[in-house]
Amino acid sequence: AKRLAILLSGRGSNMVALVQAVQNGVLQGLAEVAVVFSNKPDAPGLETAAGLGCPTASLSSQGRKRAEYDAEVVEILNHYQPDYVVLAGYMRILSPTFIRAFAGRILNIHPADTHQHQGLHAYEWAFENQLPETKITVHLVDEGLDTGPILAQHPVDLRGADTLGEVERRGLAVEHRLYANTLARLMQGELSIPTSETAAVSPPTPEPLVP
Ligand code: GAR
């Protein structure tokens, strides 16, 4: 089984979905949770992870220089020997040091089409622009902000979603299934790792989501 280091900064609902998929879902037998790490020692998601039986670790990023901080995080994570680093609401830009330490093995979930929206507040963006649909994106992390090759995308129907809360509720339901499904497909060799060029020419078609 591939070892996952799951990184979060807050609530951790994607982490919960991944842990459940490992414990008795699409990732059972394929993956195990090596560690759940946070840059915020008081992130609610850390306590939730511990409650689910996961090893946890944290190191406060407050007031730290990015490169120095990331070098320490790499050391901590290496201790758990992860095959993949899975960002799940990890609200930090990663330094080149970090990216190179786990090159090609860092995944992120973004609550929008990364070709249309990068960075924070993607659900607010979709809500304020009254988009009829948004797309959840799982991508490999490179040195840009939400620029890495796309592994999977899935649409979220936003018609009739008249509050931000409703937009988020619908989006998160898709996030939780798409992330675990995409990891499962990656580990079963069903996903070819796209180069940035092929990803730009032909974005992957959405796959049906197995709950
Ligand atoms: C999720 O919606 C995730 O896609 C988003 O933060 C939320 C974390 O929720 N990530 C980003 O916006 C990254 N730019 P969670 O802690 O409940 O998983």
Side-chain angles (χ1 to χ4, degrees):
K2 298 292 187 187
R3 295 173 60 78
L4 309 181
I6 302 174
L7 274 53
L8 57 79
S9 301
R11 174 181 56 191
S13 72
N14 275 287
M15 175 277 299
V16 169
L18 290 169
V19 171
Q20 286 172 347
V22 166
Q23 290 180 344
N24 81 63
V26 295
L27 287 170
Q28 205 173 7
L30 292 174
E32 60 194 30
V33 179
V35 66
V36 175
F37 174 85
S38 184
N39 65 310
K40 294 192 185 290
D42 57 355
L46 270 186
E47 222 175 300
T48 309
L52 290 166
C54 301
T56 61
S58 67
L59 179 67
S60 176
S61 58
Q62 204 177 357
R64 298 291 312 273
K65 285 195 186 137
R66 192 178 303 283
E68 284 172 23
Y69 175 78
D70 276 5
E72 284 179 41
V73 175
V74 167
E75 257 190 59
I76 293 172
L77 295 182
N78 273 336
H79 175 77
Y80 296 92
Q81 301 189 296
D83 294 297
Y84 291 97
V85 174
V86 182
L87 308 182
Y90 189 64
M91 298 308 196
R92 282 184 64 80
I93 294 172
L94 300 174
S95 63
T97 320
F98 189 107
I99 311 273
R100 284 170 204 158
F102 304 106
R105 299 186 289 137
I106 309 171
L107 284 81
N108 183 42
I109 189 159
H110 184 67
D113 182 343
T114 48
H115 292 139
Q116 292 184 353
H117 178 281
Q118 303 82 30
L120 299 175
H121 310 306
Y123 287 131
E124 284 89 333
W125 166 79
F127 179 63
E128 280 158 18
N129 289 288
Q130 298 183 298
L131 302 185
E133 178 185 293
T134 194
K135 278 199 180 79
I136 307 301
T137 305
V138 176
H139 64 97
L140 289 178
V141 175
D142 65 13
E143 291 183 25
L145 176 63
D146 297 329
T147 53
I150 292 172
L151 296 176
Q153 285 189 316
H154 201 275
V156 184
D157 185 352
L158 296 181
R159 287 171 302 173
D162 51 11
T163 63
L164 176 59
E166 177 63 11
V167 168
E168 286 179 343
R169 193 189 63 74
R170 291 188 196 183
L172 282 166
V174 172
E175 288 191 44
H176 297 162
R177 283 176 298 146
L178 186 67
Y179 217 177
N181 273 279
T182 304
L183 274 162
R185 291 173 60 215
L186 183 66
M187 285 161 193
Q188 286 167 312
E190 289 170 22
L191 287 182
S192 54
I193 305 299
T195 66
S196 320
E197 295 80 50
T198 60
V201 176
S202 55
T205 47
E207 292 284 318
L209 288 178
V210 182

